[in-house]
Each structure stands twice: as structure tokens, then as C-alpha cells.
Amino acid sequence: MFTLTQLTCFLAVAEELHFTRAAARLSMTQPPLSRQIQLLEHELGVRLLDRTNRTVRLTPAGRSFLGEARRIVRQAEHAALSVRQVSTGESGSIAIGFTAASAYSALGALLATSRSALPGVEILLHELVSRDQMEALGEGSLDLGLIRPTAIGADLTSRTAVREGLVAALPADHPLATGGDGPLELAAFQGQEFLMYSSVEARYFHELLLTTFHSAGVRPVFVQYLSQVHSILALVNYGWGVALVPEAAASMRYAGIVYRPLHLPDDPHPVELDFVWRKDNDNPALTALLELL
């Protein structure tokens, strides 16, 4: 079978139509160049070049083979470049898990960073609650998770992605929605019909709000338990109750919802989101992304 070296030599001679110039272009002497052409012609069983002491011309077979030789060399160069880019994290793919709430905050910055700094890397997104992301990370089907703080095993590592506050989401005709623009005190939710997070699918937010209300001595009336922020906001929009959501979720605008800031004296930014990944993950693209983050 012919070699890439033989093809490269043939292309140089075919394009220069002069052995001396082709040899100089390839930084080699003329005898080994001629030898490579002879080996290629022997392998193919045809003459590719008609050469005399004065001229070099492509034969019909040589003209036909020229395009194929160029294509093969280009493909080989592309393959070499691609594998180098994969090894350095410049190409490849990263499977990223995210929660619905994280789509309003850290996910946007993450995607912007990867697109601008790693344009050759394909991002594969999977919307999963934190519990399912942990399972997927353990199985190796996710490279990176955007997960609410939770206990992680020794095979995982984490880094804080973002911290943010809570805001009150109120039906537009609710008395708390028309009480001004200043921060609401937690005491304002005493006895209010409240849309609460599920203790299973949204355990982090469920426990965060229970602790927050308990510390303030406030007892809302939980009328529904839901797992996703957008579902809670939909019910607020329908007037089914009030809710507390991450600050970033206030970017979701509904005609029937008023957002008001919340006064949290102990910790004004209690909502945390973490990047989580396996310590033994050897995906070069993930390594490159983590360095950027």
C-alpha cells in the first residue's frame, strides 16, 4: 500500500512540475524524491508522470490521481489535528447535568464560557434533579453536574458555582405584592398559603426553607409540594399561593407575578449551587473547562 510520504512527494512534484523545486519545497534531495515517486507508481501499477531532461508532465492517470491524493492527505492532516485537539481538550464532548433552577443562573455562564473558549467542544445537556445527577456521575454517564449541595462520596469532588439570595414570588393581586418595593420580612409569610418544594425531588430547597422559617419562628400553610421552580411559578401565576424562589428565577416573567426582595439577616445568599465531577474523570475537554471555570 502507498504511504502518506509517497503521496506528499507526488503532490509536490505534480504542483511544481519540477523535481528540483519539489525537493526544495520538501526539504529533501532529488534522488530520494524520485525514489518515492517510483515506489508510488510501482504500487499503483501506472505511470503518474512523464518526465524528460527538460519537462515534467502529469499523465492522464496522474491527473486523475491528483485530486484523490489531495483528499487523502487533507483527511490525514485533519485526523492528526483532531486527535491533538481531543488530547488537549480543544475538541470532544462534555455531558453536563443541570437542575431546572440552575438554568436561570450558572448554566448560562457555563455555556457562554464553553462556547467562546472551547468552540470545538460539543456540550451535551441533561436536565436532571440533583439526586439523579449524582447517580449519573457515579455511573460515568455525566462528566459534570450542576448540583445543590449534598453529601458526596470520596470518588467525587465539588466546587461552589454560585451563591444567591431568595426572592418572594407573589400573585399580582396579593396584599404582599402591593406593599411597596422594599424587602419583605419572613414574618410576612405567617399563615400564608405557600407553595412548597417536595421533600424528595427538591430536598435541598425543602430543607432550606424549613430551616429558614423555623429560625424566624414563621409557619406558612403549605398547600402544594412541587419539585420544579417553573411549576411553582406557574401556580403562583394562577393565584394558588406565594413562594420563595432563587433570585435568578425572577428572570422568568409572568403577567400575574410580582417579585419582591426578601430580608434574610442571617445569610443574605443562602442558595448554593455546586459543580460536581468524578476525580478520576480523564476527559481532556472537562479538564480544560474546569480550568476556565
Side-chain angles (χ1 to χ4, degrees):
M1 192 63 183
F2 54 76
T3 67
L4 285 174
T5 299
Q6 292 166 4
L7 292 182
T8 302
C9 290
F10 167 70
L11 289 178
V13 175
E15 290 166 0
E16 298 289 344
L17 293 179
H18 196 283
F19 272 83
T20 302
R21 289 196 300 268
R25 171 173 153 182
L26 297 173
S27 300
M28 61 192 302
T29 59
Q30 187 172 331
L33 173 60
S34 298
R35 177 61 178 161
Q36 291 297 324
I37 298 297
Q38 290 169 0
L39 290 173
L40 177 60
E41 290 178 326
H42 176 75
E43 187 65 41
L44 295 174
V46 297
R47 287 187 60 82
L48 299 173
L49 300 166
D50 282 331
R51 43 201 180 272
T52 68
N53 291 333
R54 293 178 176 271
T55 63
V56 176
R57 294 185 302 175
L58 287 167
T59 65
R63 289 193 295 272
S64 176
F65 187 64
L66 179 58
E68 292 297 322
R70 284 173 173 156
R71 181 181 61 82
I72 294 169
V73 171
R74 279 198 304 268
Q75 286 183 330
E77 291 171 345
H78 176 73
L81 177 61
S82 295
V83 74
R84 283 196 296 269
Q85 289 177 333
V86 168
S87 69
T88 59
E90 297 175 60
S91 66
S93 64
I94 306 174
I96 298 177
F98 69 99
T99 62
S102 70
Y104 312 128
S105 55
L107 183 63
L110 173 64
L111 295 179
T113 297
S114 64
R115 175 171 291 179
S116 62
L118 300 170
V121 174
E122 181 183 13
I123 301 298
L124 308 173
L125 295 174
H126 303 269
E127 182 182 351
L128 300 167
V129 297
S130 294
R131 179 190 59 193
D132 293 343
Q133 287 190 58
M134 292 292 288
E135 291 181 2
L137 285 166
E139 296 168 354
S141 56
L142 278 186
D143 292 304
L144 182 68
L146 286 170
I147 294 175
R148 298 300 173 184
T150 186
I152 62 174
D155 58 335
L156 299 176
T157 189
S158 66
R159 181 184 305 163
T160 300
V162 66
R163 292 182 63 89
E164 60 182 319
L166 289 165
V167 297
L170 311 163
D173 59 356
H174 194 280
L176 294 178
T178 57
D181 298 327
L184 286 173
E185 299 293 336
L186 286 170
F189 295 93
Q190 177 68 32
Q192 293 287 339
E193 294 185 342
F194 193 91
L195 298 166
M196 186 53 165
Y197 296 89
S198 166
S199 61
V200 179
E201 289 87 357
R203 181 178 176 182
Y204 171 79
F205 279 112
H206 180 87
E207 294 183 350
L208 174 63
L209 294 195
L210 283 184
T211 301
T212 300
F213 283 132
H214 179 74
S215 298
V218 175
R219 298 184 65 182
V221 177
F222 301 138
V223 294
Q224 295 288 336
Y225 292 86
L226 301 111
S227 62
Q228 302 291 352
V229 171
H230 55 262
S231 300
I232 289 176
L233 291 176
L235 290 188
V236 173
N237 187 56
Y238 299 148
W240 276 53
V242 302
L244 297 183
V245 299
E247 281 180 340
S251 62
M252 296 186 66
R253 295 297 175 182
Y254 289 85
I257 294 181
V258 171
Y259 295 102
R260 289 191 61 184
L262 193 65
H263 180 227
L264 297 172
D266 295 334
D267 184 358
H269 302 98
V271 181
E272 183 176 329
L273 184 71
D274 294 341
F275 293 123
V276 181
W277 67 96
R278 287 184 64 95
K279 292 179 179 178
D280 61 358
N281 190 310
D282 61 356
N283 183 346
L286 175 64
T287 301
L289 181 60
L290 290 175
E291 289 175 355
L292 292 169
L293 296 176

